[in-house]
Amino acid sequence: MKVILLQTDIVWADPGRNVRRAEQLMDRHPDGDLFVLPEMFSTGFCTLPEGIAEPAAGSVTLAWMKRQAQERQCTIAGSIAIEDEGRFFNRFHFVYPDGKTVCYDKRHLFTYGGEDRQYTPGTERVVVDYRGVRILLQICYDLRFPVFARNRNDYDMMVYIASWPVARIDAWKTLIRARALENQCYVAAVNRIGSDPYCRYNGGTALIDPYGRTLAACPDDEEGAAIAEINVQALAAFRKKFPVLDDADMFTLD
């Protein structure tokens, strides 16, 4: 499976311009199986969603994702600020080529930035399956909570989408590699570049293999794509040879 991570410069609260730019980047890679966009890729990370969040039943950005997935016969993933029955969610949409969509609502809201004041946290841990690859969906601040993401032998790749500022980018680069090593999995980590009214972002988008090695990465402060192939057969062989997950501590989450 060919994974294409799109590191974009997001224009604040302008979905039209942002999706057009994403289309231009996707046009350069017509053979992609899975395109991954950053957190709130159509608006920027808005902690005050009133007037910016889209309705769950009529999201223009989600309709665009479905149309692109069907026309390109690929899967597209990214999060949108969503209003659903009077509550706001930072909702990760994983859209299949036939338009089917699986959603994950961000579990760990970024209290330091006030996200928890307006948004409702998700309650479910979501693993999707695409082309034989089991994928755990995660958003930004989730990266700092390894227990929630701990591999229970139920996924092969983690996808982190983020608006992670340059001030803390060293933590991002360290933690995405740690998650790959401790969970013996691929990690596809997508971060934005550019600026919004609150922060500056310089990317750090990368695909890390189960050995902690970087398979592909975008240069800092440059819009573009990181592209790599996921090999589940090689992953299975590695896990069999070096069965770290079999020796992991058992636990449950309330």
Short mmCIF file of all heavy atoms in Angstrom, two decimals, residues 6 8-27 35 37-38 40-44 54 59-69 71-72 76-80 223:
data_model
loop_
_atom_site.label_atom_id
_atom_site.label_comp_id
_atom_site.label_asym_id
_atom_site.label_seq_id
_atom_site.Cartn_x
_atom_site.Cartn_y
_atom_site.Cartn_z
N LEU A 6 0.58 14.39 3.29
CA LEU A 6 0.57 15.73 2.72
C LEU A 6 0.82 16.79 3.78
O LEU A 6 0.00 16.99 4.68
CB LEU A 6 -0.77 15.99 2.02
CG LEU A 6 -1.11 15.04 0.88
CD1 LEU A 6 -2.49 15.36 0.31
CD2 LEU A 6 -0.06 15.10 -0.22
N THR A 8 0.87 20.46 4.48
CA THR A 8 0.29 21.62 3.83
C THR A 8 0.41 22.88 4.68
O THR A 8 0.52 22.83 5.90
CB THR A 8 -1.21 21.38 3.53
OG1 THR A 8 -1.91 21.16 4.75
CG2 THR A 8 -1.40 20.19 2.61
N ASP A 9 0.37 24.01 3.99
CA ASP A 9 0.32 25.32 4.62
C ASP A 9 -1.15 25.74 4.63
O ASP A 9 -1.73 26.00 3.57
CB ASP A 9 1.18 26.32 3.84
CG ASP A 9 1.26 27.69 4.52
OD1 ASP A 9 0.51 27.93 5.48
OD2 ASP A 9 2.06 28.52 4.06
N ILE A 10 -1.76 25.78 5.79
CA ILE A 10 -3.21 25.96 5.91
C ILE A 10 -3.55 27.44 6.06
O ILE A 10 -3.00 28.13 6.93
CB ILE A 10 -3.75 25.16 7.11
CG1 ILE A 10 -3.44 23.66 6.92
CG2 ILE A 10 -5.25 25.38 7.29
CD1 ILE A 10 -3.73 22.82 8.15
N VAL A 11 -4.47 27.91 5.23
CA VAL A 11 -4.96 29.28 5.32
C VAL A 11 -6.08 29.32 6.37
O VAL A 11 -7.02 28.53 6.31
CB VAL A 11 -5.49 29.77 3.96
CG1 VAL A 11 -5.98 31.21 4.07
CG2 VAL A 11 -4.41 29.64 2.90
N TRP A 12 -5.97 30.21 7.31
CA TRP A 12 -6.89 30.27 8.43
C TRP A 12 -8.34 30.44 7.99
O TRP A 12 -8.68 31.37 7.25
CB TRP A 12 -6.50 31.40 9.38
CG TRP A 12 -7.36 31.51 10.61
CD1 TRP A 12 -8.28 32.48 10.87
CD2 TRP A 12 -7.39 30.62 11.72
NE1 TRP A 12 -8.87 32.26 12.09
CE2 TRP A 12 -8.34 31.12 12.64
CE3 TRP A 12 -6.69 29.45 12.04
CZ2 TRP A 12 -8.61 30.49 13.85
CZ3 TRP A 12 -6.96 28.82 13.25
CH2 TRP A 12 -7.91 29.34 14.13
N ALA A 13 -9.19 29.48 8.39
CA ALA A 13 -10.65 29.55 8.21
C ALA A 13 -11.07 29.76 6.76
O ALA A 13 -12.04 30.48 6.49
CB ALA A 13 -11.24 30.64 9.10
N ASP A 14 -10.37 29.13 5.82
CA ASP A 14 -10.68 29.27 4.40
C ASP A 14 -10.70 27.89 3.74
O ASP A 14 -9.76 27.50 3.03
CB ASP A 14 -9.65 30.18 3.71
CG ASP A 14 -10.10 30.63 2.33
OD1 ASP A 14 -10.95 29.94 1.71
OD2 ASP A 14 -9.60 31.67 1.85
N PRO A 15 -11.77 27.11 3.96
CA PRO A 15 -11.82 25.75 3.43
C PRO A 15 -11.65 25.66 1.92
O PRO A 15 -10.99 24.73 1.43
CB PRO A 15 -13.22 25.26 3.85
CG PRO A 15 -13.56 26.08 5.04
CD PRO A 15 -12.95 27.43 4.78
N GLY A 16 -12.21 26.62 1.19
CA GLY A 16 -12.10 26.57 -0.27
C GLY A 16 -10.66 26.57 -0.74
O GLY A 16 -10.25 25.74 -1.57
N ARG A 17 -9.87 27.50 -0.25
CA ARG A 17 -8.46 27.58 -0.65
C ARG A 17 -7.68 26.36 -0.18
O ARG A 17 -6.81 25.84 -0.90
CB ARG A 17 -7.82 28.86 -0.11
CG ARG A 17 -8.31 30.12 -0.79
CD ARG A 17 -7.67 31.36 -0.18
NE ARG A 17 -6.23 31.40 -0.39
CZ ARG A 17 -5.45 32.36 0.09
NH1 ARG A 17 -5.97 33.34 0.83
NH2 ARG A 17 -4.16 32.35 -0.15
N ASN A 18 -7.99 25.88 1.00
CA ASN A 18 -7.23 24.76 1.55
C ASN A 18 -7.49 23.45 0.81
O ASN A 18 -6.56 22.68 0.55
CB ASN A 18 -7.53 24.60 3.04
CG ASN A 18 -6.98 25.76 3.85
OD1 ASN A 18 -5.88 26.25 3.60
ND2 ASN A 18 -7.74 26.23 4.83
N VAL A 19 -8.72 23.20 0.45
CA VAL A 19 -8.98 21.95 -0.28
C VAL A 19 -8.47 22.03 -1.72
O VAL A 19 -8.03 21.02 -2.28
CB VAL A 19 -10.48 21.56 -0.24
CG1 VAL A 19 -10.95 21.36 1.20
CG2 VAL A 19 -11.36 22.55 -0.97
N ARG A 20 -8.50 23.20 -2.31
CA ARG A 20 -7.93 23.33 -3.66
C ARG A 20 -6.43 23.05 -3.65
O ARG A 20 -5.90 22.40 -4.56
CB ARG A 20 -8.22 24.73 -4.23
CG ARG A 20 -9.66 24.94 -4.68
CD ARG A 20 -9.80 26.19 -5.53
NE ARG A 20 -9.49 27.40 -4.80
CZ ARG A 20 -10.38 28.08 -4.07
NH1 ARG A 20 -11.64 27.65 -3.98
NH2 ARG A 20 -10.04 29.20 -3.45
N ARG A 21 -5.75 23.53 -2.62
CA ARG A 21 -4.31 23.27 -2.53
C ARG A 21 -4.05 21.78 -2.29
O ARG A 21 -3.12 21.20 -2.86
CB ARG A 21 -3.70 24.10 -1.40
CG ARG A 21 -2.18 23.96 -1.29
CD ARG A 21 -1.50 24.31 -2.61
NE ARG A 21 -0.06 24.11 -2.53
CZ ARG A 21 0.69 23.78 -3.56
NH1 ARG A 21 0.13 23.58 -4.76
NH2 ARG A 21 1.99 23.64 -3.43
N ALA A 22 -4.87 21.15 -1.49
CA ALA A 22 -4.73 19.72 -1.27
C ALA A 22 -4.93 18.94 -2.57
O ALA A 22 -4.20 17.99 -2.86
CB ALA A 22 -5.72 19.25 -0.21
N GLU A 23 -5.90 19.36 -3.36
CA GLU A 23 -6.12 18.73 -4.67
C GLU A 23 -4.88 18.83 -5.54
O GLU A 23 -4.49 17.87 -6.22
CB GLU A 23 -7.30 19.38 -5.38
CG GLU A 23 -8.66 18.93 -4.90
CD GLU A 23 -9.77 19.55 -5.75
OE1 GLU A 23 -9.62 19.61 -6.98
OE2 GLU A 23 -10.78 19.99 -5.16
N GLN A 24 -4.28 20.00 -5.57
CA GLN A 24 -3.07 20.20 -6.38
C GLN A 24 -1.95 19.26 -5.96
O GLN A 24 -1.24 18.69 -6.80
CB GLN A 24 -2.61 21.65 -6.27
CG GLN A 24 -3.55 22.65 -6.93
CD GLN A 24 -3.18 24.09 -6.62
OE1 GLN A 24 -2.28 24.37 -5.82
NE2 GLN A 24 -3.87 25.04 -7.24
N LEU A 25 -1.79 19.07 -4.66
CA LEU A 25 -0.76 18.16 -4.17
C LEU A 25 -1.10 16.71 -4.52
O LEU A 25 -0.21 15.93 -4.91
CB LEU A 25 -0.59 18.31 -2.66
CG LEU A 25 0.03 19.63 -2.18
CD1 LEU A 25 -0.04 19.73 -0.66
CD2 LEU A 25 1.47 19.75 -2.65
N MET A 26 -2.36 16.34 -4.41
CA MET A 26 -2.77 14.97 -4.75
C MET A 26 -2.61 14.70 -6.24
O MET A 26 -2.28 13.58 -6.65
CB MET A 26 -4.20 14.71 -4.29
CG MET A 26 -4.33 14.57 -2.79
SD MET A 26 -5.96 13.99 -2.24
CE MET A 26 -6.94 15.46 -2.53
N ASP A 27 -2.84 15.72 -7.07
CA ASP A 27 -2.70 15.55 -8.52
C ASP A 27 -1.30 15.12 -8.92
O ASP A 27 -1.11 14.48 -9.95
CB ASP A 27 -3.05 16.86 -9.23
CG ASP A 27 -4.54 17.16 -9.26
OD1 ASP A 27 -5.33 16.24 -9.00
OD2 ASP A 27 -4.90 18.32 -9.51
N PHE A 35 -4.09 8.91 1.13
CA PHE A 35 -3.61 10.28 1.32
C PHE A 35 -4.01 10.72 2.73
O PHE A 35 -5.16 10.58 3.13
CB PHE A 35 -4.25 11.23 0.32
CG PHE A 35 -3.78 11.05 -1.10
CD1 PHE A 35 -4.46 10.23 -1.98
CD2 PHE A 35 -2.65 11.72 -1.56
CE1 PHE A 35 -4.03 10.07 -3.29
CE2 PHE A 35 -2.20 11.56 -2.86
CZ PHE A 35 -2.90 10.73 -3.73
N LEU A 37 -4.01 13.97 5.43
CA LEU A 37 -3.92 15.42 5.59
C LEU A 37 -3.79 15.78 7.06
O LEU A 37 -4.14 14.98 7.94
CB LEU A 37 -5.17 16.07 4.99
CG LEU A 37 -5.23 16.04 3.46
CD1 LEU A 37 -6.68 16.04 2.98
CD2 LEU A 37 -4.49 17.23 2.89
N PRO A 38 -3.32 16.98 7.39
CA PRO A 38 -3.12 17.36 8.80
C PRO A 38 -4.44 17.54 9.57
O PRO A 38 -5.53 17.49 9.01
CB PRO A 38 -2.38 18.70 8.71
CG PRO A 38 -1.80 18.74 7.34
CD PRO A 38 -2.77 17.99 6.47
N MET A 40 -7.47 19.29 11.19
CA MET A 40 -8.29 20.43 10.77
C MET A 40 -7.68 21.09 9.52
O MET A 40 -7.49 22.31 9.46
CB MET A 40 -8.44 21.44 11.91
CG MET A 40 -9.26 20.93 13.07
SD MET A 40 -9.72 22.25 14.22
CE MET A 40 -10.41 21.30 15.59
N PHE A 41 -7.44 20.26 8.51
CA PHE A 41 -6.72 20.71 7.31
C PHE A 41 -7.46 21.76 6.50
O PHE A 41 -6.85 22.48 5.71
CB PHE A 41 -6.41 19.50 6.42
CG PHE A 41 -7.63 18.88 5.79
CD1 PHE A 41 -8.07 19.30 4.55
CD2 PHE A 41 -8.33 17.87 6.44
CE1 PHE A 41 -9.19 18.72 3.95
CE2 PHE A 41 -9.46 17.30 5.85
CZ PHE A 41 -9.88 17.73 4.61
N SER A 42 -8.76 21.89 6.68
CA SER A 42 -9.52 22.84 5.86
C SER A 42 -9.67 24.22 6.51
O SER A 42 -10.07 25.18 5.84
CB SER A 42 -10.91 22.28 5.53
OG SER A 42 -11.67 22.09 6.71
N THR A 43 -9.35 24.31 7.82
CA THR A 43 -9.57 25.58 8.52
C THR A 43 -8.38 26.05 9.35
O THR A 43 -8.29 27.23 9.69
CB THR A 43 -10.76 25.46 9.49
OG1 THR A 43 -10.49 24.42 10.44
CG2 THR A 43 -12.04 25.16 8.74
N GLY A 44 -7.50 25.15 9.72
CA GLY A 44 -6.54 25.41 10.77
C GLY A 44 -7.13 24.99 12.10
O GLY A 44 -8.35 24.77 12.22
N GLU A 54 -18.16 22.78 10.84
CA GLU A 54 -19.16 22.40 9.84
C GLU A 54 -20.17 21.43 10.44
O GLU A 54 -19.84 20.65 11.33
CB GLU A 54 -18.46 21.75 8.64
CG GLU A 54 -17.46 22.67 7.96
CD GLU A 54 -16.82 22.05 6.72
OE1 GLU A 54 -17.32 21.01 6.25
OE2 GLU A 54 -15.82 22.60 6.24
N SER A 59 -21.46 18.55 6.04
CA SER A 59 -20.10 19.07 5.96
C SER A 59 -19.63 19.17 4.52
O SER A 59 -19.56 18.16 3.80
CB SER A 59 -19.13 18.16 6.74
OG SER A 59 -17.80 18.49 6.46
N VAL A 60 -19.31 20.38 4.10
CA VAL A 60 -18.82 20.60 2.73
C VAL A 60 -17.46 19.94 2.55
O VAL A 60 -17.17 19.34 1.50
CB VAL A 60 -18.74 22.11 2.44
CG1 VAL A 60 -18.08 22.36 1.09
CG2 VAL A 60 -20.13 22.73 2.48
N THR A 61 -16.62 20.01 3.57
CA THR A 61 -15.29 19.41 3.47
C THR A 61 -15.37 17.90 3.40
O THR A 61 -14.64 17.26 2.62
CB THR A 61 -14.41 19.85 4.65
OG1 THR A 61 -14.32 21.28 4.66
CG2 THR A 61 -13.02 19.27 4.54
N LEU A 62 -16.24 17.29 4.18
CA LEU A 62 -16.40 15.84 4.10
C LEU A 62 -16.94 15.43 2.74
O LEU A 62 -16.51 14.42 2.17
CB LEU A 62 -17.32 15.34 5.21
CG LEU A 62 -17.61 13.84 5.21
CD1 LEU A 62 -16.32 13.03 5.28
CD2 LEU A 62 -18.55 13.47 6.36
N ALA A 63 -17.87 16.20 2.20
CA ALA A 63 -18.38 15.90 0.85
C ALA A 63 -17.25 15.95 -0.17
O ALA A 63 -17.17 15.12 -1.09
CB ALA A 63 -19.49 16.88 0.48
N TRP A 64 -16.34 16.92 -0.01
CA TRP A 64 -15.17 17.01 -0.89
C TRP A 64 -14.28 15.78 -0.73
O TRP A 64 -13.81 15.21 -1.73
CB TRP A 64 -14.37 18.28 -0.55
CG TRP A 64 -13.06 18.35 -1.25
CD1 TRP A 64 -12.81 18.82 -2.52
CD2 TRP A 64 -11.78 17.95 -0.72
NE1 TRP A 64 -11.47 18.72 -2.80
CE2 TRP A 64 -10.82 18.20 -1.73
CE3 TRP A 64 -11.37 17.42 0.50
CZ2 TRP A 64 -9.46 17.91 -1.54
CZ3 TRP A 64 -10.03 17.13 0.69
CH2 TRP A 64 -9.09 17.38 -0.33
N MET A 65 -14.05 15.33 0.50
CA MET A 65 -13.23 14.14 0.73
C MET A 65 -13.84 12.92 0.05
O MET A 65 -13.13 12.13 -0.60
CB MET A 65 -13.08 13.88 2.23
CG MET A 65 -12.28 14.95 2.97
SD MET A 65 -12.22 14.68 4.78
CE MET A 65 -11.06 13.30 4.87
N LYS A 66 -15.14 12.75 0.17
CA LYS A 66 -15.81 11.62 -0.46
C LYS A 66 -15.71 11.67 -1.97
O LYS A 66 -15.45 10.66 -2.64
CB LYS A 66 -17.28 11.58 -0.03
CG LYS A 66 -17.49 11.22 1.43
CD LYS A 66 -18.98 11.18 1.76
CE LYS A 66 -19.22 10.75 3.19
NZ LYS A 66 -20.66 10.68 3.52
N ARG A 67 -15.89 12.86 -2.52
CA ARG A 67 -15.81 13.01 -3.98
C ARG A 67 -14.41 12.70 -4.49
O ARG A 67 -14.23 12.00 -5.48
CB ARG A 67 -16.22 14.44 -4.34
CG ARG A 67 -16.33 14.69 -5.85
CD ARG A 67 -17.01 16.02 -6.12
NE ARG A 67 -16.28 17.15 -5.56
CZ ARG A 67 -16.68 17.84 -4.49
NH1 ARG A 67 -17.80 17.52 -3.86
NH2 ARG A 67 -15.98 18.87 -4.05
N GLN A 68 -13.41 13.22 -3.79
CA GLN A 68 -12.02 12.97 -4.20
C GLN A 68 -11.67 11.49 -4.08
O GLN A 68 -10.99 10.93 -4.95
CB GLN A 68 -11.07 13.81 -3.35
CG GLN A 68 -11.16 15.31 -3.58
CD GLN A 68 -10.77 15.70 -4.98
OE1 GLN A 68 -9.78 15.23 -5.53
NE2 GLN A 68 -11.56 16.59 -5.58
N ALA A 69 -12.11 10.85 -3.01
CA ALA A 69 -11.80 9.43 -2.82
C ALA A 69 -12.43 8.58 -3.91
O ALA A 69 -11.80 7.65 -4.44
CB ALA A 69 -12.29 8.97 -1.44
N GLU A 71 -13.42 9.64 -7.00
CA GLU A 71 -12.85 9.96 -8.32
C GLU A 71 -11.44 9.40 -8.48
O GLU A 71 -11.08 8.93 -9.56
CB GLU A 71 -12.83 11.48 -8.52
CG GLU A 71 -14.21 12.10 -8.69
CD GLU A 71 -14.15 13.62 -8.79
OE1 GLU A 71 -13.03 14.19 -8.67
OE2 GLU A 71 -15.22 14.23 -8.97
N ARG A 72 -10.66 9.42 -7.42
CA ARG A 72 -9.27 8.96 -7.50
C ARG A 72 -9.12 7.48 -7.14
O ARG A 72 -8.04 6.92 -7.28
CB ARG A 72 -8.40 9.81 -6.56
CG ARG A 72 -8.36 11.28 -6.91
CD ARG A 72 -7.62 12.09 -5.84
NE ARG A 72 -7.76 13.52 -6.02
CZ ARG A 72 -6.94 14.27 -6.77
NH1 ARG A 72 -5.92 13.70 -7.37
NH2 ARG A 72 -7.15 15.58 -6.89
N ILE A 76 -8.85 8.83 1.67
CA ILE A 76 -8.39 10.13 2.13
C ILE A 76 -8.71 10.25 3.62
O ILE A 76 -9.82 9.93 4.05
CB ILE A 76 -9.04 11.27 1.34
CG1 ILE A 76 -8.69 11.15 -0.15
CG2 ILE A 76 -8.60 12.63 1.88
CD1 ILE A 76 -9.36 12.17 -1.03
N ALA A 77 -7.73 10.73 4.39
CA ALA A 77 -7.90 10.84 5.84
C ALA A 77 -7.49 12.22 6.32
O ALA A 77 -6.51 12.79 5.84
CB ALA A 77 -7.06 9.77 6.54
N GLY A 78 -8.23 12.74 7.29
CA GLY A 78 -7.92 14.05 7.87
C GLY A 78 -9.04 14.45 8.82
O GLY A 78 -10.13 13.88 8.77
N SER A 79 -8.78 15.44 9.67
CA SER A 79 -9.82 15.84 10.62
C SER A 79 -10.45 17.17 10.25
O SER A 79 -9.85 18.01 9.59
CB SER A 79 -9.29 15.87 12.06
OG SER A 79 -8.70 17.11 12.39
N ILE A 80 -11.69 17.33 10.71
CA ILE A 80 -12.50 18.52 10.46
C ILE A 80 -13.15 18.93 11.79
O ILE A 80 -13.54 18.08 12.58
CB ILE A 80 -13.62 18.23 9.43
CG1 ILE A 80 -13.04 17.62 8.15
CG2 ILE A 80 -14.41 19.49 9.10
CD1 ILE A 80 -14.12 17.06 7.21
N GLU A 223 6.00 22.88 1.84
CA GLU A 223 4.81 22.13 1.48
C GLU A 223 5.21 20.99 0.56
O GLU A 223 6.09 21.14 -0.29
CB GLU A 223 3.83 23.06 0.77
CG GLU A 223 2.38 22.63 0.86
CD GLU A 223 1.43 23.72 0.44
OE1 GLU A 223 1.66 24.32 -0.63
OE2 GLU A 223 0.47 23.99 1.17
#
